[in-house]
Amino acid sequence: MRLRWLLACFMALLLSGCGYNQFQQLDEQTNAAWAEVLNQYQRRADLVPNLVNTVKGEANFEQETLTRVVEARAKATSVQVTPETLNDPQALQRFQQAQGELSSALSRLLVVSERYPNLRANQGFQDLRVQLEGTENRITVARNRYIKAVQEYNVLARSFPSNLTAMVFGYKPKANFTVQNEAEISRPPTVDFGTNPARPAPTAPTAPALPASPASR
């Protein structure tokens, strides 16, 4: 009995020293951070229908802009997210791309709405706009927390001797948001208001030639 107790203590110390407990902690931390990312993206998706319906009430609003928002939302919400997504770089990239397209479409919608005074004066639209901007900020915070959590986990999974524990128990490095995708998500859309090119400045009229003097005749 005493031998079993000593063996159990030895195994506990061995697992603790090789990073097993830390893997459990960081794995739960990354899962919680990822859940918050999904929560904030879902919050944004829930705001889109009300925003679109409000904008539809504005006469002559650009239909193409609304269509892009609706299609981007449908694509973003159709991407299946499973626990395996965190370990699949390609699946995470598809998720990022879909969310990035929705971000771009919403940015375009807000820019175009500035051309319509009735929308700017619509309190319901302005409230939705404030909620959307706040959600975008929450998404950024949640995404950055996830990036940090995954970084800590991956460092442990690749460092010695904890990498041996990762090999034994199957703790593989997790996929993360890439710098390129982050830059793409944050880039505002290019808007061309169709300004007329500058006209060339008129040339100054030439002075009439003076008649020749008698001496030169």
Side-chain angles (χ1 to χ4, degrees):
M1 185 68 180
R2 182 180 177 83
L3 180 60
R4 290 181 180 178
W5 183 81
L6 290 175
L7 182 60
C9 291
F10 174 76
M11 291 299 297
L13 290 173
L14 181 62
L15 291 175
S16 177
C18 66
Y20 178 83
N21 291 339
Q22 194 173 1
F23 269 115
Q24 306 307 309
Q25 177 184 356
L26 294 182
D27 188 50
E28 290 295 328
Q29 184 174 312
T30 55
N31 289 336
W34 176 246
E36 183 60 21
V37 170
L38 295 181
N39 180 51
Q40 296 305 330
Y41 275 128
Q42 184 60 51
R43 176 187 175 92
R44 180 177 68 175
D46 292 341
L47 288 173
V48 171
N50 290 335
L51 185 66
V52 170
N53 289 333
T54 302
V55 173
K56 279 183 178 179
E58 177 64 31
N60 301 323
F61 192 86
E62 293 184 9
Q63 187 60 39
E64 181 182 358
T65 300
L66 282 175
T67 301
R68 287 182 179 178
V69 171
V70 173
E71 292 177 348
R73 180 189 184 275
K75 183 177 180 180
T77 54
S78 67
V79 176
Q80 295 185 353
V81 179
T82 65
E84 289 73 24
T85 302
L86 301 184
N87 301 318
D88 186 347
Q90 293 182 347
L92 184 59
Q93 185 176 11
R94 289 193 295 270
F95 174 81
Q96 292 180 82
Q97 182 177 1
Q99 296 297 339
E101 290 176 3
L102 180 54
S103 294
S104 179
L106 287 171
S107 296
R108 169 73 182 181
L109 176 66
L110 296 181
V111 169
V112 172
S113 67
E114 291 296 323
R115 306 177 188 174
Y116 298 85
N118 291 340
L119 277 179
R120 295 201 303 268
N122 187 319
Q123 187 60 45
F125 176 78
Q126 293 303 325
D127 291 343
L128 287 170
R129 179 169 187 161
V130 170
Q131 293 181 52
L132 182 61
E133 292 173 349
T135 301
E136 291 289 353
N137 292 333
R138 292 187 183 96
I139 288 173
T140 300
V141 172
R143 198 168 55 230
N144 289 339
R145 287 177 178 171
Y146 175 75
I147 291 173
K148 182 178 179 181
V150 171
Q151 182 182 16
E152 293 178 1
Y153 177 94
N154 288 346
V155 167
L156 184 67
R158 293 188 174 106
S159 301
F160 181 84
S162 55
N163 63 331
L164 301 178
T165 304
M167 293 174 59
V168 172
F169 291 96
Y171 294 124
K172 299 179 180 179
K174 297 180 183 293
N176 207 344
F177 291 100
T178 62
V179 174
Q180 291 81 3
N181 286 330
E182 285 293 295
E184 184 65 26
I185 291 173
S186 302
R187 183 180 298 117
T190 301
V191 180
D192 182 9
F193 290 98
T195 55
N196 295 325
R199 297 179 179 177
T203 57
T206 56
L210 296 176
S213 62
S216 60
R217 292 178 182 176

